[in-house]
Amino acid sequence: MSIFRTKSVERSIEDTEGEHRLRRNLSALDLTVFGVGVIVGTGIFVLTGQVARDTAGPAVALSFVVAGVVCALAALCYAEFASTVPVAGSAYTFSYATIGEFPAWIVGWDLMLELALGAAVVAVGWSGYFSELMASLGVHLPDSLAGEHATFNVPAVVVVLALTAVLVAGIKLSARINLVIVTVKVAVVLLVIVAGLFFVKGANYTPFVPDAQPTPAVHGLKAPLIQVVFGITPVAYGLLGVFVGAAVVFFAFIGFDVVATAAEETRRPQRDLPIGIIASLAVCTVLYVAVSLVVVGMQPYNRLSRSAPLAGAFRTVGQDWLATIISIGALAGLTTVVMILMLGQSRIFFAMSRDRLLPGGLATVHPRFGTPYRITIIIGVVTALLAGFIPLSALAELVNIGTLFAFILVSVGVMILRRTRPDLPRAFRTPLVPVVPVLSVLACLYLMLNLPVETWVRFLVWMALGIVLYFAYGRRHSRVEEPSPARAG
């Protein structure tokens, strides 16, 4: 049995029928709101100040543009795949149809790292904002029970378990709750933009791109891989600082690919998935650039808060009430991020279990709610334990590298499927193939090279563990060469 055996597009679609069928309840609007819900979170409320202060200066807006362009290249590839293979699993399913089973397993294993770890990291951040909000109301939570360094992070565990219950109860209920929360946080973001314009000072934009200067020496495992391999010394500010900043703020865009994991639950996937993926990315890029321009205009970039730049900027101009509203918006924003990352994780697990690369019993669909409830509960419990016991901020860069790796495989897959199956109907076609996919691969690889060596080491260890599991279980239990239930019947 070849480890590069593929699962045909037709077989993937056939497998969505029968006992493992998910309910199609989502529209293009639902998908767009899901995308906005998961993208607008940690990045816009935290990374804006961190990157402006330490890396790019007022040109942080350009860093967001660069990261947005990289994501847009990958999004165009995702849109073609999602409309051609409207099946749960996202990059895992796409890779299975083009590159082969083993690469598909690797990307699925990689996405487990991205989504589960990402949800736990954001849940810890949620706990920190919740603790601050309670303190502003006169209720002080013990450091041992809330925040980044808690012994047992109670708020993080509670929010994860509550969102797990919502996800089990049905995709439509999840979409409705997400719509309400996303409306709140987008309203807060728009309030920041409009209110902040009254406090912008033109002098704060000068110089827009500060002169480049070497960063403090970074050695060993903390050094970016590009520095170790090519001897390129990282710099702060200047044009290179803008691109280095893009590698950091890339975290702010993670999530639009989660829209593709809901393909099987979309009413008209060929039309709605490309709309949801591209529209959510476009909306969030505009919001990010606008917010970053306002914030660096309100306060000199070298004085911005690293942990809460938006709220901090308004406090410096005497608008504490707005700072409190921003904290509420951040709390709402992080809630939807946690929920949708767990949603994406459960659908990828579901697809892998349906293919028997993971135990098949996990792919059971709830008879009433129409959701993969066993997988959802397992993911919720694991994520809650991670968020409750482990301070995860140091591991957050693993989320970046996992996502970029998935983007590369999807971009390569588009070119392969164009060559091997030119006959497939494609409701959306990536423009300028192979130029766009090749640019996507190169851009993602460049951002990966800017991540620290220690992140690469952890990533390779996780991949090695996945390889062992594939050969120990997945390869022997795979059902790709069995007749499909539809054909067998």
Side-chain angles (χ1 to χ4, degrees):
M1 295 187 297
S2 171
I3 62 173
F4 293 100
R5 55 193 173 184
T6 59
K7 181 180 179 181
S8 71
V9 173
E10 291 81 4
R11 174 67 183 275
S12 293
I13 294 174
E14 284 177 6
D15 283 349
T16 64
E17 303 299 328
E19 62 176 326
H20 299 305
R21 182 176 185 175
L22 299 174
R23 293 180 185 171
R24 295 189 181 275
N25 288 319
L26 300 179
S27 65
L29 176 61
D30 291 327
L31 293 173
T32 302
V33 174
F34 268 136
V36 174
V38 73
I39 298 172
V40 178
T42 306
I44 200 166
F45 292 108
V46 177
L47 293 180
T48 305
Q50 176 185 327
V51 173
R53 181 166 180 156
D54 300 336
T55 309
V60 62
L62 297 181
S63 295
F64 277 113
V65 170
V66 171
V69 169
V70 173
C71 288
L73 293 170
L76 291 170
C77 299
Y78 265 91
E80 175 169 327
F81 256 132
S83 64
T84 308
V85 194
V87 177
S90 185
Y92 159 76
T93 300
F94 306 156
S95 298
Y96 211 158
T98 54
I99 307 175
E101 181 177 278
F102 178 63
W105 165 268
I106 289 297
V107 76
W109 185 249
D110 164 60
L111 289 171
M112 292 183 206
L113 178 72
E114 172 200 341
L115 299 175
L117 188 58
V121 168
V122 177
V124 172
W126 188 97
S127 173
Y129 270 103
F130 180 77
S131 180
E132 288 182 13
L133 185 61
M134 289 294 99
S136 69
L137 299 175
V139 180
H140 296 276
L141 301 178
D143 291 339
S144 60
L145 297 179
E148 166 73 18
H149 303 291
T151 305
F152 178 69
N153 202 322
V154 175
V157 171
V158 170
V159 73
V160 168
L161 295 180
L163 293 174
T164 300
V166 171
L167 290 171
V168 169
I171 190 71
K172 195 60 184 178
L173 175 62
S174 304
R176 288 171 180 165
I177 292 175
N178 184 58
L179 176 61
V180 172
I181 300 176
V182 167
T183 300
V184 171
K185 72 175 175 182
V186 170
V188 170
V189 170
L190 293 175
L191 176 63
V192 168
I193 295 169
V194 175
L197 287 173
F198 292 97
F199 303 99
V200 166
K201 296 178 181 178
N204 290 334
Y205 292 120
T206 305
F208 189 70
V209 182
D211 293 336
Q213 54 186 268
T215 57
V218 181
H219 300 290
L221 296 179
K222 297 287 185 182
L225 185 64
I226 195 169
Q227 175 181 341
V228 175
V229 175
F230 299 106
I232 300 174
T233 303
V235 300
Y237 314 123
L239 188 58
L240 280 179
V242 170
F243 286 97
V244 173
V248 178
V249 301
F250 178 82
F251 182 85
F253 288 93
I254 287 176
F256 76 84
D257 54 318
V258 176
V259 173
T261 66
E264 208 169 309
E265 294 155 281
T266 304
R267 295 191 198 112
R268 293 179 291 179
Q270 287 79 6
R271 182 187 78 100
D272 293 347
L273 281 165
I275 293 174
I277 291 170
I278 296 171
S280 59
L281 183 59
V283 168
C284 292
T285 301
V286 171
L287 291 177
Y288 279 178
V289 171
V291 166
S292 60
L293 285 172
V294 167
V295 170
V296 297
M298 290 178 65
Q299 190 177 8
Y301 69 89
N302 53 8
R303 297 181 188 172
L304 286 170
S305 166
R306 288 190 178 90
S307 59
L310 276 64
F314 279 98
R315 285 196 177 96
T316 60
V317 294
Q319 304 296 317
D320 289 349
W321 67 277
L322 273 171
T324 301
I325 291 177
I326 290 169
S327 296
I328 295 172
L331 205 60
L334 298 180
T335 301
T336 58
V337 175
V338 175
M339 182 175 75
I340 300 168
L341 287 175
M342 289 198 297
L343 169 70
Q345 173 73 94
S346 67
R347 274 34 177 192
I348 291 169
F349 257 54
F350 174 76
M352 296 176 76
S353 299
R354 189 164 57 188
D355 292 332
R356 302 295 190 270
L357 297 181
L358 293 172
L362 297 177
T364 303
V365 175
H366 196 284
R368 177 183 173 189
F369 301 129
T371 57
Y373 68 102
R374 290 180 181 173
I375 289 175
T376 303
I377 292 171
I378 291 171
I379 288 170
V381 171
V382 171
T383 303
L385 290 174
L386 286 171
F389 289 103
I390 304 174
L392 292 166
S393 58
L395 300 180
E397 286 172 330
L398 276 171
V399 181
N400 278 15
I401 197 169
T403 305
L404 288 163
F405 181 70
F407 285 3
I408 288 174
L409 286 184
V410 169
S411 301
V412 171
V414 164
M415 295 185 284
I416 293 175
L417 199 61
R418 283 282 187 98
R419 181 177 293 273
T420 58
R421 293 297 306 274
D423 58 304
L424 283 175
R426 291 169 168 83
F428 178 90
R429 297 177 69 88
T430 303
L432 301 176
V433 172
V435 175
V436 167
V438 168
L439 288 176
S440 175
V441 170
L442 294 176
C444 291
L445 185 59
Y446 172 75
L447 293 186
M448 288 177 74
L449 289 173
N450 278 281
L451 293 171
V453 173
E454 62 181 356
T455 299
W456 279 87
V457 171
R458 289 169 180 155
F459 176 68
L460 292 175
V461 169
W462 176 256
M463 289 293 105
L465 180 61
I467 291 170
V468 171
L469 187 57
Y470 170 75
F471 284 102
Y473 182 89
R475 185 168 183 260
R476 293 187 294 110
H477 291 83
S478 170
R479 58 183 288 271
V480 69
E481 292 181 348
E482 298 175 5
S484 70
R487 289 175 181 171

